[in-house]
Amino acid sequence: RAVLRKASALEYKIQRRALRKEDFINYIQYEINLLELIKKRRARVGYSFKKDEIENSILHRVHCLFNRATGKWKDDLQLWLSHVAFCKQWNAKHQLSKVFSTMLAIHPNKPALWIMAAKWEMETRLSSESARHLFLRALRFHPECPKLYQEYFRMELMHAEKQRKEKKEFEKAKMDLGEFNYSEDILSGEMARIIYRDAAEKIKGVEFHLAVLSIAKLFDFTQDLQKEILESLQAKYANDPLTWDYMARRELELGSPESTEGTTKQRKIAEMTQREERCCAVFEEAVRAVSSEDMWKCYIAFCLERCNRKTNSEELKQKRLERTLSVFSKAHESSLLPEALYKQWLQLLLESSLFEQAAEVAEAATKRFSQSVETWQMRLQVLIQLKGDDVSQCFEEAIKHVKSQGTVALWTLWVEWSESTSSKEETEALYQRSLHATTPAESVTMKEKYLDWTYRNSGYKKVRKVFTSLCENRPFSLDFFRKMIQIEKEQESCKMFHLREYYERALREFGSTNSDLWLDYIKEELSHPQGKPENCGSIHWRAMKMLQGDLVEDFVSKYTLLQTGHL
């Protein structure tokens, strides 16, 4: 009865004149949950009869609901994909075939859907012919889509591999196949070769060739095809960094064919060293042929990968480190080392305890990228870490070179360093200077830090004076006022008079955009020994006037909870 009642209520909702998508989704979800429940109960009780009357009728109803929903909201891809997932879960192959057919007719502009449909045909229905037909249709809509060509290429190789295995099994069983025979062209991957050649004419770029090559390498019968792709890659994109990168990394795989079981550790290390040296020889040739930032990036990325690999051999580890540092140095001398890689170079030097060299590199980086805040920050952090004498001078130089916007990170670093090394007077002068040197929006951060530092080092009276002087120049942040309120609360003789002043100042700035501030003010009046609960009414009235939009409703609900003691 409960199931009938619920199903009837959901059915009425989808029979209305003004249909809502949510009603269909709720109905479908209810039916799917019911199916799952029936499945669990059948497994528990061990009852397997009347499936046609129960499950099949529910399945049919769910499919009808999905068809109505996708017919009404054709553009909602999530609905279509939910129907696909449902069909897969309940093994409704015939229905899923129809869903894919309709979905692709409405959404032919999405290559991922074509690939999904073709993959299902190939892997679940084991129909390579249907999958091929879908890929060919998809390529009419997307003649230059690399992903479609890659998946079509993969599918043909999978089909060839499947046929090779079948033929091998038949030969092993010595079965007579009669007139049926396997095409040698398909078995050798000729179909995939045709797809590649067609794609190579339409799609430009190394990435596609490398993607296709990586797919071909997964199959052991594609040596000739791999050779053709590689030759094409070298002929068309000889000066592309990615081609050189691939050719160099390939040397790692081309090791000696000896079995590794009988080889000693020393021999393995020697072999790995030789392979890496061969890779580096190719990279050296590459940076001579194609002297660009991207080429050096590829070379350095390779060296860092090898350097980060775990090895028990200290000798190999040292060689990798020396090689990496040498490559960084060469790239820097060529003036082709990108800004981001200077940071990695410095990290490597610091980890290797090469502090003097790190200071030189940091200085060279700031000369090359003199307007970059990150580069100056990096250099200053190195100098602070090394406890250099010229830190203050370097800060001055950084502020002079960098534009005022975005310098808050440098000022923060400077005042933090000054707090631990300089006198109070010098640090205070630096804070005052930072407020004028940064942009108004960035000075907000410095105000908060200044207030916090003053309280920690000079006490309550001084922080009151600083707060009053800082309040003369906008803008402010809410945390600035909250910090001052917190400081006042920490005092033994916490005065409500001062708290009211801070809350009023904060409300002048943020009263229209923050409902919690008004509630905190009311709580303070109610809980503080010197508070006046009779002021709460006027604070509430002012809040209702000042707050904007949905904040009024939010404030009212929270205020009600406060009055009833639930907040």
Side-chain angles (χ1 to χ4, degrees):
R1 279 203 300 272
V3 169
L4 273 173
R5 197 162 51 246
K6 182 71 176 171
S8 301
L10 291 164
E11 187 70 39
Y12 284 133
K13 283 185 179 179
I14 64 162
Q15 297 301 337
R16 291 189 295 203
R17 191 167 288 179
L19 297 175
R20 288 167 65 239
K21 196 196 299 182
E22 290 73 23
D23 295 335
F24 278 90
I25 291 168
N26 291 338
Y27 195 177
I28 289 166
Q29 192 58 58
Y30 175 74
E31 293 288 15
I32 290 170
N33 292 345
L34 189 61
L35 273 171
E36 290 291 341
L37 185 64
I38 291 166
K39 190 179 176 181
K40 281 180 184 174
R41 286 199 181 170
R42 276 190 186 281
R44 192 181 70 205
V45 178
Y47 185 87
S48 59
F49 303 103
K50 293 192 176 180
K51 279 197 174 183
D52 282 346
E53 292 94 322
I54 302 170
E55 276 97 327
N56 288 0
S57 64
I58 297 173
L59 284 170
H60 178 70
R61 192 154 61 245
V62 172
H63 286 309
C64 289
L65 286 167
F66 267 123
N67 289 338
R68 275 188 67 189
T70 51
K72 174 77 175 167
W73 296 281
K74 293 182 175 70
D75 293 334
D76 190 337
L77 200 57
Q78 196 55 50
L79 267 178
W80 289 102
L81 294 175
S82 299
H83 196 182
V84 167
F86 176 76
C87 292
K88 283 180 179 177
Q89 188 184 354
W90 292 93
N91 202 25
K93 291 181 182 177
H94 179 68
Q95 191 68 34
L96 184 51
S97 198
K98 284 182 180 177
V99 173
F100 273 130
S101 180
T102 315
M103 180 171 69
L104 292 172
I106 293 165
H107 295 281
N109 59 331
K110 293 180 174 63
L113 298 182
W114 289 99
I115 292 167
M116 187 198 290
K119 193 177 176 186
W120 178 74
E121 289 287 352
M122 180 72 188
E123 293 175 5
T124 309
R125 298 196 79 185
L126 306 174
S127 172
S128 53
E129 197 59 46
S130 300
R132 187 179 295 123
H133 179 63
L134 278 167
F135 274 122
L136 290 169
R137 276 179 63 201
L139 288 169
R140 281 189 220 131
F141 288 101
H142 309 278
E144 292 180 6
C145 177
K147 192 67 182 167
L148 268 176
Y149 273 110
Q150 285 167 33
E151 293 304 322
Y152 187 16
F153 180 81
R154 192 198 302 272
M155 188 277 290
E156 286 296 355
L157 288 176
M158 283 168 69
H159 177 57
E161 187 179 48
K162 183 183 158 193
Q163 291 221 329
R164 287 169 78 90
K165 282 180 182 173
E166 277 179 13
K167 188 184 178 188
K168 199 174 178 182
E169 290 298 321
F170 283 136
E171 284 171 356
K172 199 185 282 184
K174 295 178 182 175
M175 286 179 69
D176 181 25
L177 301 175
E179 292 179 8
F180 180 78
N181 62 347
Y182 288 94
S183 165
E184 280 302 318
D185 284 346
I186 289 175
L187 291 175
S188 63
E190 195 59 37
M191 292 289 283
R193 192 190 301 272
I194 292 165
I195 293 161
Y196 165 70
R197 285 174 182 170
D198 182 42
E201 288 173 15
K202 293 173 184 171
I203 298 166
K204 307 297 173 198
V206 189
E207 292 85 353
F208 174 72
H209 288 74
L210 291 176
V212 169
L213 191 56
S214 66
I215 293 166
K217 282 169 89 173
L218 300 171
F219 301 88
D220 55 7
F221 58 89
T222 60
Q223 279 77 14
D224 291 343
L225 181 56
Q226 287 178 46
K227 193 178 174 186
E228 183 182 325
I229 297 168
L230 203 55
E231 285 170 2
S232 170
L233 187 67
Q234 287 175 299
K236 288 182 180 176
Y237 305 100
N239 292 330
D240 195 294
L242 289 175
T243 306
W244 282 102
D245 186 48
Y246 177 78
M247 296 307 294
R249 287 171 185 270
R250 194 161 162 261
E251 294 295 327
L252 277 178
E253 297 163 19
L254 303 173
S256 58
E258 295 174 25
S259 67
T260 55
E261 287 171 24
T263 58
T264 61
K265 273 188 180 179
Q266 203 64 36
R267 198 164 172 186
K268 281 182 184 176
I269 289 163
E271 192 185 327
M272 181 54 72
T273 308
Q274 282 176 2
R275 287 189 198 182
E276 288 181 6
E277 280 169 3
R278 288 204 303 271
C279 290
C280 289
V282 177
F283 271 121
E284 288 293 341
E285 192 186 335
V287 291
R288 282 195 296 273
V290 186
S291 190
S292 69
E293 263 193 23
D294 288 336
M295 191 67 254
W296 282 106
K297 263 188 198 174
C298 293
Y299 193 0
I300 289 166
F302 167 77
C303 290
L304 286 169
E305 276 173 33
R306 302 312 298 174
C307 202
N308 293 332
R309 278 179 78 86
K310 288 183 180 176
T311 176
N312 295 326
S313 167
E314 285 299 322
E315 187 190 344
L316 183 59
K317 201 182 284 183
Q318 190 59 32
K319 270 187 183 176
R320 284 173 174 171
L321 177 63
E322 284 170 11
R323 187 192 299 130
T324 308
L325 293 174
S326 167
V327 173
F328 268 120
S329 189
K330 285 176 188 173
H332 167 65
E333 283 162 20
S334 310
S335 298
L336 291 170
L337 188 63
E339 188 185 340
L341 289 178
Y342 274 101
K343 190 174 184 181
Q344 287 178 289
W345 189 7
L346 279 170
Q347 279 173 348
L348 199 60
L349 288 166
L350 292 170
E351 282 166 17
S352 311
S353 304
L354 300 166
F355 301 119
E356 284 182 23
Q357 210 174 326
E360 287 169 19
V361 168
E363 189 178 347
T366 51
K367 278 179 185 172
R368 185 148 177 245
F369 303 100
S370 61
Q371 292 191 336
S372 167
V373 175
E374 289 79 12
T375 309
W376 280 106
Q377 208 173 341
M378 201 164 60
R379 181 183 171 186
L380 289 160
Q381 280 165 346
V382 169
L383 286 175
I384 291 167
Q385 197 173 332
L386 302 179
K387 295 180 177 157
D389 301 328
D390 54 346
V391 178
S392 188
Q393 189 185 332
C394 188
F395 271 117
E396 293 286 359
E397 201 181 332
I399 297 300
K400 190 170 73 181
H401 280 93
V402 178
K403 292 173 185 173
S404 63
Q405 193 171 0
T407 56
V408 70
L410 290 177
W411 282 108
T412 304
L413 189 63
W414 196 354
V415 294
E416 281 172 2
W417 170 78
S418 181
E419 281 174 25
S420 58
T421 57
S422 305
S423 64
K424 282 185 189 179
E425 292 76 19
E426 286 172 348
T427 306
E428 187 165 8
L430 202 57
Y431 269 115
Q432 292 282 0
R433 191 177 153 196
S434 72
L435 295 173
H436 299 297
T438 50
T439 58
E442 289 175 340
S443 68
V444 166
T445 310
M446 298 313 298
K447 282 177 183 175
E448 288 172 31
K449 290 189 79 64
Y450 187 16
L451 204 66
D452 185 48
W453 174 82
T454 307
Y455 180 57
R456 280 188 286 111
N457 289 277
S458 304
Y460 174 69
K461 285 187 179 178
K462 176 72 175 174
V463 85
R464 281 262 311 153
K465 286 179 186 176
V466 169
F467 174 75
T468 309
S469 68
L470 290 177
C471 282
E472 289 172 13
N473 296 306
R474 283 188 173 90
F476 309 109
S477 69
L478 186 57
D479 288 337
F480 172 72
F481 291 109
R482 286 201 183 279
K483 183 74 195 167
M484 196 59 216
I485 290 165
Q486 189 58 40
I487 289 168
E488 184 64 46
K489 283 183 180 180
E490 286 171 13
Q491 304 313 305
E492 282 183 25
S493 57
C494 172
K495 293 178 181 174
M496 190 64 205
F497 171 72
H498 290 152
L499 284 174
R500 281 197 198 101
E501 180 197 338
Y502 306 144
Y503 272 113
E504 289 297 340
R505 282 181 185 274
L507 289 168
R508 276 204 290 274
E509 304 295 328
F510 303 100
S512 59
T513 55
N514 194 298
S515 57
D516 289 340
L517 198 58
W518 291 99
L519 286 163
D520 291 344
Y521 192 7
I522 290 168
K523 281 183 201 170
E524 213 66 65
E525 289 285 10
L526 291 169
S527 61
H528 196 280
Q530 297 166 16
K532 293 181 179 177
E534 61 268 24
N535 289 355
C536 294
S538 64
I539 296 169
H540 179 274
W541 182 82
R542 282 169 60 202
M544 296 294 285
K545 289 284 180 186
M546 274 188 82
L547 287 167
Q548 296 170 354
D550 296 337
L551 290 170
V552 177
E553 197 176 320
D554 182 50
F555 172 74
V556 169
S557 59
K558 284 180 179 176
Y559 185 68
T560 309
L561 287 170
L562 181 67
Q563 282 183 314
T564 53
H566 291 94
L567 191 68

